[in-house]
Amino acid sequence: MKEKRFHTPLFMAVPQICLRYAMGASMKRVNLKKSIALMLALIMVLALATGCGTKSTSGSNASANGGETTKAADGGETTEAAKDDSQASGSESKLLQKIKEKGYIQIGSSNDAPFSYTDVDSGELKGVDIEILREICKRLGIPDIKMKVIDFSNLLVELNNNNIDMVVDAMYVKDDRLKVAAFTDKWYQEGEAVVIPADSTIAGKEDLKGKKIGAQPGTTFYETAQKWLDDGKIGKLEAYDNQATLMTAVNMGKVDAVVTDGIVAGYTLASDSALKLKLLSPYEAEASGQIGAALRFEDKDFLAEVNTTLNAMKDDGTLLTILKNYGLTEDYFVGTEDGKTTNIK
């Protein structure tokens, strides 16, 4: 049976070696003080070597963990790589993450051209609001847009019932609506117009007295017509659910005139030659306002993302280009500062 050999650790061996050397030196009549000094020097070298080894190991562990080690808020240590991963995962709002997961943003609209509507021939979503939203989605990484058709007066109700993600339908940002939902910064501005039959004798606003007027409930223009009725400036007010039935009513003589969105009116008359209608002119708009998209109050993080993107589009000229593509001049453009929306929640 082989004898087991026990190796003396280095930190014990050095003093023994030094002692033997000292004894040998004594026997050879070497100065004992020099021997002791040499022994102490060797011990110090050994101690320094051990300390350096420990420091190197700590540095290697930090590198293996993926980056520079820093102190966390709770007093522990974290790596820069881990910190970057954490920031990346929390950089998008919950709604934006949810929209990306399902592959599209669900908007609500009353399907009114030229704002946000489905083209009857191609089945594609079109309109000035759609083009603005499409560019916002492109920059935010949202793949697609889907639209649910809802009566204008019920759009904010459906939004707060979580049936849609956003209202995109040329909706004016108004104090009463700000109590119901949060709004983006303004996209653009416009006003109302009065549409009359091509052979109408109505030549000015004063000629509307005693006449039957049509308007779409839930819109600013309906409120304008209601005010006219209350002030005795018109004879009767009829309600129509959407732009198509509104235009049909005046075209068929069911009403003497309709009050509607100026952009919608101009677009409709220019694109449908079957309508024997015209715009009342001269006419000075009373209900001009600024348009934005509506979101739920709790989606303020997504609102901030949309606003940042929207204002970048204003600054780089993209938004104005979209407006001009729809025949709208710089008069319809709202700058970054002038377009700020102050939400109440």
Side-chain angles (χ1 to χ4, degrees), residues 230-274:
D230 296 341
D231 294 342
K233 294 181 179 180
I234 61 175
K236 189 176 181 180
L237 177 59
E238 296 286 343
Y240 294 91
D241 289 337
N242 55 61
Q243 186 67 23
T245 57
L246 190 65
M247 288 298 189
T248 300
V250 66
N251 194 57
M252 296 180 64
K254 292 182 179 181
V255 293
D256 298 302
V258 296
V259 185
T260 188
D261 187 288
I263 295 177
V264 173
Y267 171 83
T268 303
L269 298 185
S271 60
D272 191 348
S273 59

Side-chain angles (χ1 to χ4, degrees), residues 96 100 136-143:
L96 180 55
K100 287 185 176 181
I136 291 173
C137 288
K138 176 183 175 182
R139 298 188 184 199
L140 288 178
I142 299 173

Side-chain angles (χ1 to χ4, degrees), residues 51-336:
C52 292
T54 303
K55 184 175 181 180
S56 176
T57 302
S58 175
S60 298
N61 287 341
S63 299
N65 286 338
E68 180 183 349
T69 302
T70 57
K71 288 290 182 180
D74 60 2
E77 291 186 346
T78 184
T79 65
E80 289 297 329
K83 195 163 64 173
D84 290 343
D85 290 342
S86 175
Q87 290 172 349
S89 64
S91 61
E92 292 182 346
S93 68
K94 290 182 179 180
L95 180 56
L96 180 55
Q97 293 177 37
K98 181 179 177 181
I99 289 170
K100 287 185 176 181
E101 286 173 4
K102 65 182 180 181
Y104 62 91
I105 184 171
Q106 181 75 65
I107 68 168
S109 169
S110 58
N111 200 36
D112 284 339
F115 300 114
S116 50
Y117 67 100
T118 302
D119 184 84
V120 293
D121 296 324
S122 65
E124 296 179 357
L125 292 180
K126 291 186 177 181
V128 59
D129 286 34
I130 291 295
E131 291 305 316
I132 294 173
L133 177 61
R134 186 170 282 132
E135 180 65 23
I136 291 173
C137 288
K138 176 183 175 182
R139 298 188 184 199
L140 288 178
I142 299 173
D144 199 8
I145 304 169
K146 291 188 178 182
M147 186 178 79
K148 183 176 182 180
V149 178
I150 303 166
D151 286 344
F152 193 90
S153 57
N154 290 328
L155 283 169
L156 295 181
V157 175
E158 290 297 296
L159 174 68
N160 287 320
N161 285 340
N162 293 304
N163 292 325
I164 54 177
D165 299 316
M166 176 187 281
V167 173
V168 182
D169 195 16
M171 184 171 281
Y172 280 21
V173 181
K174 299 169 57 181
D175 290 342
D176 58 336
R177 289 174 179 159
L178 288 170
K179 296 176 183 178
V180 182
F183 277 78
T184 64
D185 289 342
K186 285 76 170 185
W187 292 17
Y188 54 93
Q189 60 190 4
E190 57 145 2
E192 88 277 5
V194 175
V195 180
I196 56 178
D199 58 357
S200 175
T201 58
I202 298 173
K205 191 182 297 183
E206 63 278 0
D207 295 330
L208 296 175
K209 190 170 184 177
K211 297 294 193 290
K212 186 187 293 185
I213 306 299
Q216 185 178 351
T219 66
T220 299
F221 319 119
Y222 189 90
E223 296 173 4
T224 299
Q226 182 64 57
K227 185 176 183 298
W228 290 349
L229 180 65
D230 296 341
D231 294 342
K233 294 181 179 180
I234 61 175
K236 189 176 181 180
L237 177 59
E238 296 286 343
Y240 294 91
D241 289 337
N242 55 61
Q243 186 67 23
T245 57
L246 190 65
M247 288 298 189
T248 300
V250 66
N251 194 57
M252 296 180 64
K254 292 182 179 181
V255 293
D256 298 302
V258 296
V259 185
T260 188
D261 187 288
I263 295 177
V264 173
Y267 171 83
T268 303
L269 298 185
S271 60
D272 191 348
S273 59
L275 295 174
K276 306 303 180 182
L277 303 171
K278 65 181 181 180
L279 296 179
L280 176 60
S281 181
Y283 177 82
E284 184 177 349
E286 296 182 13
S288 60
Q290 297 180 328
I291 288 169
L295 290 160
R296 287 177 289 274
F297 288 125
E298 59 265 31
D299 294 327
K300 60 183 180 180
D301 291 338
F302 182 60
L303 174 68
E305 292 166 335
V306 171
N307 280 340
T308 298
T309 307
L310 174 70
N311 289 324
M313 290 167 56
K314 291 182 179 183
D315 293 340
D316 64 26
T318 302
L319 184 58
L320 182 58
T321 298
I322 293 173
L323 295 178
K324 288 183 176 180
N325 288 341
Y326 280 82
L328 305 179
T329 66
E330 292 186 12
D331 293 335
Y332 292 85
F333 180 77
V334 182
T336 302

